[in-house]
Amino acid sequence: MSAPKTAITPTRAEDFPEWYQQVIKAADLAENSETRGCMVIKPWGYGIWELIQQQLDRRFKETGHQNAYFPLLIPLSYLEKEAEHAEGFATECAVVTHHRLEAVKDEETGKTKMIPTGELAEPYVIRPTSETIIGAAFSRWVQSYRDLPLLINQWANVMRWEMRPRLFLRTAEFLWQEGHTAHETAEEAIAETRLMHQVYAEFLRDHLAIPVIPGEKTENERFPGADMTLTVEAMVQDRKAIQAGTSHFLGQNFSKAQDISFTGRDGKVEHAFTTSWGVSTRMIGTLIMAHSDDDGLVLPPRVATQQVVIIPVTPKEDSKQAVIDSCHALAETLRGHRFHGDPLRVLVDDRDLQGGVKKWEWVKKGTPIRIEIGPRDVESRKVCLNRRDRAANEKAFIDKEEFIRDAADLLQEIHDALLEKAVAFRDANITECGELAAFDAHWAQDNPGWLLTPWAGTPEEEDELSKKHKITIRCLPLDGQDGAEAPCLLTGKPTQQRAIWGRSY
RNA sequence: CGGGGUAUGGCGCAGUCUGGUAGCGCGCUUCGUUCGGGACGAAGAGGCCGUGGGUUCGAAUCCCGCUACCCCGACCA
């Protein structure tokens, strides 16, 4: 049987959503579980999350935040405190109503059934987000302006009973981090909101090689209960948008609802200004769709569980051990080198499998660098180098010492190449548009890119356009809100404001 | 929550209309050949056919209930 032209079928061009699923399967990242809408994240996928966690967490600490942990279950009454917020999440809450099970034996079948008993006086909601329960803690912790700012982050799982789950992009349970902060003044809280927004944009660019458009959400698209929502919007290869991270300025909405108050410098009692910000395992879905190709996953080096995989080529029994020893020696040497402060992650795949099988497995798993070493290479002190950002059959024989010296630079080169490619793709697919006719026509295409338009419409007018074309304003990009006045796409009113429209996940 | 579909060895499916107690491909195990490479041959392991009930001498197959999952919409990180 001849091998298929591409490791993944269908290709991106043939059927993008199905390709996405197949990439996940081929790379062994995750699978659907028996539990509705929930996924099992397998080691190769969870490894990406662990690296994202480590690297983001470092940035959070550097910017003055501390980690803490709050309960999974939120008293129902907490969610009722902020009306807009409650309404926003009402339709997707899982509710815990009982606290014990009773074993009941069926006389006929002899089987034991577990019946929920012990109904709770007040049900709990499994957190869809933790503003309310963290706010309750903040109200106890904050007494004086001296207690501020309070800068807390939580790594946790949350649950939103989504109707249409998709691995990583939208699952009923997902992993994320949620930052929650309280400040003395609106200015400080807004500065915090902007700072974390920037941290996200930089993280996506410098760690995941994903360029984003930072911007603000319109009122329609804001987080329930927020005064301002900032977003980083990424474009993936079918030209859809993904909100890769958000940062919210909550004003005093939550502090008033939950009485997060303090005595100020002037002796007066005031309500704090709060923020919240988060990124989730959705970022892994974004990463997959941003970089992967028809041969499978392509991992940005900084979040690759293994950055270099060394495959011994052992055609002859008598030289086999020498080749394997040489591979392990190389791995050990490489581990002594660093990439962005961390030791290189190197694996020798000495499993007793055919070489071709191994090669394709690592291609599909997206390892940035594959090294093959055979008896001839051991003798000539060379290695066969394969880069995941290049064609699967493109190989280069280079001097081993040279490779050792340059390995970290090579990883950076791969990162830069991925980023550059993603930037070029994004820029080629954002079009400026000032004419309503052209705007309307644009969305009739397959996989339309984004449109950048002058915009001064009302929320209702925005809603109308959104529904008509199944699009949303992804953001009002931070860059370009102070440009020349131009007539609004819809109303013709002169405006400096620009909006980016697109289809989204 | 509305519309549709599916449930059979680890995975993907056939068999269901026309009842007779399971079959194919991939994967897995072993042996052999091959191999700077996603190869091939042979042998083998693995399923009371989602679940509860009914009809029948006999049910994966027919009837009724339940559950789960998938797809298409409306809702969303």
Side-chain angles (χ1 to χ4, degrees), chain A residues 364-490:
Chain A
K364 288 184 281 193
K365 281 173 169 284
T367 325
I369 293 177
R370 290 194 324 279
I371 291 294
E372 297 172 4
I373 298 181
R376 290 204 293 272
D377 309 315
V378 173
E379 232 168 277
S380 61
R381 299 195 60 79
K382 285 193 180 294
V383 298
C384 174
L385 168 73
N386 298 265
R387 291 170 52 157
R388 188 58 184 87
D389 62 326
R390 303 277 174 83
N393 55 6
E394 183 182 322
K395 43 173 84 173
F397 288 88
I398 63 169
D399 190 72
K400 187 160 82 174
E401 293 307 318
E402 189 187 326
F403 171 68
I404 291 168
R405 193 189 64 218
D406 297 343
D409 292 341
L410 208 52
L411 290 171
Q412 187 60 44
E413 226 179 86
I414 292 171
H415 174 97
D416 294 342
L418 293 178
L419 179 62
E420 196 183 321
K421 194 174 162 195
V423 168
F425 181 82
R426 180 198 65 183
D427 290 349
N429 288 291
I430 302 179
T431 314
E432 288 191 43
C433 177
E435 301 271 327
L436 193 57
F439 184 88
D440 284 341
H442 177 82
W443 306 110
Q445 304 173 67
D446 288 339
N447 302 321
W450 301 353
L451 289 183
L452 176 68
T453 73
W455 179 251
T458 63
E460 292 72 31
E461 287 165 337
E462 175 189 334
D463 201 43
E464 203 184 310
L465 274 188
S466 294
K467 289 225 159 68
K468 185 174 171 191
H469 296 299
K470 296 183 176 186
I471 53 175
T472 43
I473 292 185
R474 299 316 305 159
C475 69
L476 310 172
L478 292 191
D479 286 344
Q481 294 306 313
D482 48 5
E485 282 211 337
C488 167
L489 173 80
L490 185 71

Side-chain angles (χ1 to χ4, degrees), chain A residues 308-377:
Chain A
V308 181
V309 167
I310 303 173
I311 303 175
V313 179
T314 53
K316 295 187 189 96
E317 198 56 40
D318 59 349
S319 59
K320 187 174 175 178
Q321 197 53 48
V323 169
I324 290 175
D325 290 347
S326 169
C327 289
H328 281 287
L330 173 61
E332 221 22 63
T333 306
L334 288 171
R335 288 184 192 116
H337 289 238
R338 285 173 179 265
F339 178 58
H340 286 283
D342 297 321
L344 294 191
R345 298 183 287 272
V346 187
L347 178 79
V348 177
D349 185 1
D350 56 7
R351 292 175 301 167
D352 187 19
L353 286 176
Q354 274 202 277
V357 176
K358 282 198 252 190
K359 167 190 159 176
W360 282 103
E361 185 177 317
W362 293 113
V363 169
K364 288 184 281 193
K365 281 173 169 284
T367 325
I369 293 177
R370 290 194 324 279
I371 291 294
E372 297 172 4
I373 298 181
R376 290 204 293 272
D377 309 315

Side-chain angles (χ1 to χ4, degrees), chain A residues 193-215:
Chain A
T193 308
R194 294 197 185 286
L195 173 66
M196 298 324 288
H197 184 226
Q198 196 184 336
V199 165
Y200 288 154
E202 287 170 1
F203 178 79
L204 278 148
R205 182 192 64 201
D206 297 340
H207 296 248
L208 305 184
I210 297 172
V212 293
I213 302 282

Side-chain angles (χ1 to χ4, degrees), chain A residues 131-275:
Chain A
E131 272 75 8
T132 58
I133 197 155
I134 293 181
F138 278 17
S139 80
R140 293 191 301 272
W141 298 353
V142 175
Q143 306 285 322
S144 152
Y145 71 89
R146 292 181 221 273
D147 297 326
L148 298 173
L150 186 52
L151 307 173
I152 296 293
N153 176 66
Q154 157 168 273
W155 290 96
N157 55 341
V158 289
M159 178 157 268
R160 298 181 188 176
W161 209 262
E162 300 290 353
M163 290 296 115
R164 284 245 271 146
R166 287 248 264 147
L167 284 175
F168 290 114
L169 295 175
R170 198 189 302 108
T171 46
E173 181 189 13
F174 58 91
L175 306 182
W176 76 345
Q177 59 69 217
E178 44 181 329
H180 295 271
T181 68
H183 307 260
E184 200 179 338
T185 65
E187 292 67 36
E188 277 181 46
I190 289 169
E192 165 79 5
T193 308
R194 294 197 185 286
L195 173 66
M196 298 324 288
H197 184 226
Q198 196 184 336
V199 165
Y200 288 154
E202 287 170 1
F203 178 79
L204 278 148
R205 182 192 64 201
D206 297 340
H207 296 248
L208 305 184
I210 297 172
V212 293
I213 302 282
E216 185 177 345
K217 287 289 186 189
T218 59
E219 192 184 323
N220 286 2
E221 301 290 321
R222 238 175 242 158
F223 177 75
D227 281 358
M228 172 178 82
T229 288
L230 300 179
T231 176
V232 284
E233 295 288 324
M235 182 189 285
V236 292
Q237 293 178 73
D238 63 352
R239 301 179 185 80
K240 281 193 186 177
I242 300 189
Q243 180 176 313
T246 48
S247 184
H248 315 289
F249 170 59
L250 304 174
Q252 293 176 310
N253 302 333
F254 284 84
S255 63
K256 282 181 177 166
Q258 303 186 282
D259 195 32
I260 306 172
S261 56
F262 63 96
T263 307
R265 294 163 201 269
D266 56 3
K268 286 184 189 158
V269 175
E270 296 175 59
H271 285 106
F273 292 84
T274 63
T275 81

